Amino acid sequence: MRFAISNFPLLLIGLTCYSLATFAQTQDPLITSMRKADEARVAMGSVPPWMGVSQSGEPTGYTVELASLALKNMGAPALTPVLTAWEAMIPGLLARHFDLIGPGLVITEPRCRVVVFSAPMIAMHDALFVRSGNPSNLENLRQVTETPEIRLAVVTGSSQEAYVLKQGIAFERLVRVPDIEAGVAVVIGRRANAFVVGQFSISKPEQKGLEVVVDKSTPLSGIGAAFRKEDIRFRDAFDKQLDLLRTNGAWKNLIVKYEVPNWDMLTKLKRASHVVPSCE
């Protein structure tokens, strides 16, 4: 038994090296392009502590560290963050302004028609962020939809915007914002009664004067990295590295470091199709 345990890390190292060597030998076009440029250009938004860019220009956050580990094990160069508006990320990827989209977009069926996603790195339901005390007594998105006087903030181009429009909320009742920080500001400034976004998207909301109301009737959402469809082999190799990071404890260490919820769920969501079956 002692022999098996002592050699387990060596086995994992061997598997990682084998995976890297096998992938490198295929001369994948994307990693070849990254190595030639000596950088991996990654579209990123600002969602601290999950994703962001430091004042010195360094990419930071839980999903960034996790993606960096996977890419490093694949032999990719260091990440170069490209701060990008959420609604501009997929068009920018298809126009080759960057190599991939960092793990910040929700995996959805319409998005899967044009890009391929990695396994989820965050899993959550949508939630309403309201002022402390919940002055409008909101309980879920259905109530918001059915209450004409309620104004709802959404990030432009987000999965939440698409969802509430599909649920029938009037277009003119939406307050569109470019990012999460702006969504917080419009609620605190009383220009909207609530801001809908993923339940873990705002860190320590109580310190910002907000209260979170999780709507568990909304579909479970997964957030992953996104790649061009032509780079599906690269995505597959990336997912294999995530599998190894689950197994060797490195991913769990980041979960503990950043206090990420739902680890048990993330251990089961190993492909994009596990949250959206129609996705490749």
Side-chain angles (χ1 to χ4, degrees), residues 130-138 150 190 193 211:
V130 299
R131 293 193 302 279
S132 295
N134 194 1
S136 299
N137 296 312
L138 299 176
I150 296 296
R190 300 172 186 261
N193 302 88
E211 186 174 319

Side-chain angles (χ1 to χ4, degrees), residues 12-265:
L12 289 173
I13 292 170
L15 287 171
T16 302
C17 292
Y18 175 78
S19 177
L20 172 56
T22 302
F23 184 72
Q25 289 168 6
T26 65
Q27 294 298 311
D28 180 84
L30 179 55
I31 201 162
T32 299
S33 172
M34 288 178 179
R35 289 171 177 167
K36 185 176 180 180
D38 196 28
E39 63 177 354
R41 290 175 57 80
V42 180
M44 292 177 48
S46 179
V47 196
W50 316 122
M51 172 189 284
V53 179
S54 70
Q55 291 184 346
S56 62
E58 295 297 315
T60 62
Y62 156 69
T63 61
V64 174
E65 283 200 45
L66 182 55
S68 294
L69 283 175
L71 290 169
K72 181 179 179 181
N73 288 344
M74 294 168 66
L79 300 187
T80 297
V82 183
L83 281 174
T84 307
W86 297 107
E87 70 273 19
M89 287 186 175
I90 290 179
L93 178 67
L94 299 180
R96 300 184 177 277
H97 295 163
F98 22 81
D99 299 307
L100 64 141
I101 298 172
L105 290 179
V106 174
I107 302 165
T108 66
E109 185 173 356
R111 287 171 177 166
C112 284
R113 295 188 191 117
V114 290
V115 299
V116 290
F117 280 94
S118 73
M121 301 183 199
I122 296 176
M124 57 187 170
H125 289 279
D126 288 336
L128 296 167
F129 287 85
V130 299
R131 293 193 302 279
S132 295
N134 194 1
S136 299
N137 296 312
L138 299 176
E139 297 179 359
N140 51 52
L141 281 167
R142 179 178 178 180
Q143 181 187 1
V144 171
T145 301
E146 295 175 349
T147 310
E149 63 270 21
I150 296 296
R151 288 177 60 79
L152 183 66
V154 295
V155 174
T156 302
S158 66
S159 61
Q160 290 82 17
E161 179 186 34
Y163 180 78
V164 296
L165 287 171
K166 188 175 181 180
Q167 298 308 304
I169 194 168
F171 184 88
E172 60 272 14
R173 289 173 52 201
L174 297 181
V175 180
R176 288 170 173 77
V177 296
D179 53 35
I180 288 174
E181 289 83 354
V184 171
V186 298
V187 173
I188 295 300
R190 300 172 186 261
R191 286 175 284 161
N193 302 88
F195 174 39
V196 60
V197 72
Q199 70 184 101
F200 305 129
S201 298
I202 300 176
S203 177
K204 300 177 181 178
E206 67 282 353
Q207 295 182 7
K208 300 175 174 68
L210 296 176
E211 186 174 319
V212 58
V213 181
V214 179
D215 188 346
K216 291 190 176 180
S217 70
T218 59
L220 180 69
S221 296
I223 290 177
F227 308 84
R228 289 180 287 269
K229 281 187 174 285
E230 67 198 61
D231 296 321
I232 192 168
R233 288 178 61 255
F234 188 96
R235 188 284 309 268
D236 292 345
F238 185 89
D239 273 353
K240 287 179 182 178
Q241 289 301 326
L242 291 181
D243 289 340
L244 289 170
L245 294 171
R246 277 191 202 90
T247 305
N248 68 16
W251 190 340
K252 182 65 178 292
N253 290 340
L254 291 177
I255 291 285
V256 173
K257 175 181 176 180
Y258 286 98
E259 301 179 352
V260 180
N262 287 359
W263 170 242
D264 289 344
M265 187 176 296

